[in-house]
Amino acid sequence: MPAPATDRRRAAVLGSPIAHSLSPVLHRAAYAELGLANWTYDRFDVDEAALPAFVEGLGPEWAGLSLTMPLKRAVIPLLDSVSETAASVDAVNTVVLTEDGRRTGDNTDIPGIVAALREHGIEKTETAAVLGAGATASSALAALSRICTGEIAVYVRSAARADEMRGWAQRLDVDVRIADWADAEEALRAPLVVATTPAGATDALAAAVPERPTTLFDVLYDPWPTALAARWSAYGGAVVSGLDLLLHQAVLQVEQMTGRSPAPLAAMRTAGERALADR
């Protein structure tokens, strides 16, 4: 049931570090558009050690939590249930607190990736390439499992990361080929390239962007554009940004926490773009 607009409700994003997060901007914009004047959304710097006490201390006014690293796996033992989507990658980025006190976990990153690609006209792809092998890469694999009909090449820097991605591929039942980061320039010729690496990691690849690039999904949003995204766009390729991902996963969080649907994507996008422009 939709939450009454007059009830005082709270939500927040947790992580460490967290000061950079745009989530408060997006969620507050949604509350304003939905008329939820008594809803608040904050940010708290919480690490893995402090997470259990924080969660146990939440009162009945709390509606939900957004979680970023390093808490997406640490929160799972504190929950009453976890969705199949979140369980598929052992990562929860959304906790909904129900009226009866239950804590349910979900992962909106995975459908958020799919929705962001769909918004840019990508609903299916024959093959794809993933740059990186961290936590975001596993969510990217799970999302690609829904839209990629063929092989996914994953470019990694170490044997340990290679083994980890093979494990995720087996678990998600996707056709993955592990490749060395030294050959990452090859990835840029794929019909869909998903860059999941930290800031600066793909800068050296910008010079290797082909003359006719296809679609790049770069999960970063600050700083933006990345060197790779800027060159890709300059050559006429389609670029999906980390802000697109952040927006679409936040839309799903707002809908789950407030019970209001659809969440106001346009208002949230405007607020996010303004906030980034002011940085």
Side-chain angles (χ1 to χ4, degrees), residues 18 52-53 69 72 89 98 119 125 127 146-147 171 191 203 218 221 229 246 251 260 263-265 269 271 274 276:
I18 200 63
M69 298 306 293
K72 292 184 180 183
V89 291
T98 61
E119 186 179 37
T125 182
T127 61
R146 303 182 180 189
I147 67 169
R171 182 168 178 171
D203 287 359
D218 195 324
Y221 63 84
L246 191 67
V251 160
R260 303 295 180 92
L265 174 63
R269 186 189 302 278
R274 286 176 178 170
L276 283 178

Side-chain angles (χ1 to χ4, degrees), residues 45-46 62 79 142 230:
D45 196 302
V46 177
W62 281 85
L79 305 178

